[in-house]
Amino acid sequence: MTSKPAFNKTRWGDIVKLTHNNDDDWTDDMIRILSAMRGYTIISGEDPEMLPLDFDHDDNYQDCKCKEAEVASIIRLSCSPEERRIIKDIRYSHLRWNSLETSMVTARSDIGRQDIVFQLCACQPKEDEPHKAYFTKPSNYHIQLDHTFDAITD
C-alpha cells in the first residue's frame, strides 16, 4: 500500500509538499505559485529593497510586510516535516528559499555530501557561541544527509 503525497492547498493551486525526492518538481511548482501571488521577486533577489526604508512615512510598508510573511508561510507550509527542520529558525522567505535550495542541491551530489560530512566532522563549539547554536549544527548536517547514501543512522 502506497501513501498519498501530502499537498498544500493554496488559492493559486495545490502543491505537493517538498520531500527529499521531489525537489525539482516542487521548485518548479513553487516558482509558478510565487509568481502568481507576486511574491517571486522576494525570493529571487529581484526586489532586494522590498521593505521601504522610511517605515513611518511609507504607506506600502504594511503591504510589503504582509507579502513577506505570506511568502515565508507558503514556503514553510509547502514543506514536509523533515524539510521544515531545515528552515525551522529562519524567519525571512528569501533565506528560507536559499537554505532549502542549498540543502537539496548539495545533498544530491557526491561532492556535496562529502562536504556536508566534512563540515559535520569539523564542527566544534566556539567560545562565544551559545550551546544551543553548537548543538543545532550537527543536527542540521544530519538533516541534509537524510535520505541519501551518506545518511547518518543512530
Side-chain angles (χ1 to χ4, degrees), residues 8 10 30 33-34 37 70-78:
N8 180 35
T10 72
M30 282 298 293
I33 288 174
L34 290 170
M37 64 184 279
E70 188 176 25
V71 171
S73 295
I74 202 164
I75 291 171
R76 182 183 177 281
L77 294 172
S78 298

Side-chain angles (χ1 to χ4, degrees), residues 37-138:
M37 64 184 279
R38 298 180 181 184
Y40 182 70
T41 57
I42 295 170
I43 60 151
S44 68
E46 293 174 22
D47 195 0
E49 295 183 28
M50 192 197 91
L51 292 178
L53 298 175
D54 187 357
F55 304 132
D56 295 327
H57 297 96
D58 196 326
D59 295 335
N60 292 329
Y61 176 68
Q62 289 301 322
D63 292 339
C64 292
K65 202 165 136 180
C66 288
K67 182 56 72 177
E68 166 65 34
E70 188 176 25
V71 171
S73 295
I74 202 164
I75 291 171
R76 182 183 177 281
L77 294 172
S78 298
C79 292
S80 65
E82 294 83 16
E83 310 311 328
R84 277 188 191 181
R85 293 186 303 174
I86 296 168
I87 59 171
K88 179 181 147 198
D89 295 323
I90 302 173
R91 179 178 175 194
Y92 296 106
S93 55
H94 69 284
L95 297 176
R96 285 181 174 195
W97 183 267
N98 292 342
S99 185
L100 287 168
E101 187 175 52
T102 300
S103 176
M104 296 300 157
V105 169
T106 302
R108 257 191 266 135
S109 73
D110 289 336
I111 293 172
R113 287 190 306 275
Q114 289 173 3
D115 186 49
I116 294 169
V117 170
F118 176 76
Q119 290 177 48
L120 173 63
C121 293
C123 189
Q124 299 273 329
K126 296 178 183 169
E127 277 187 42
D128 59 342
E129 183 178 54
H131 292 294
K132 181 180 178 185
Y134 167 69
F135 287 113
T136 301
K137 288 178 187 177

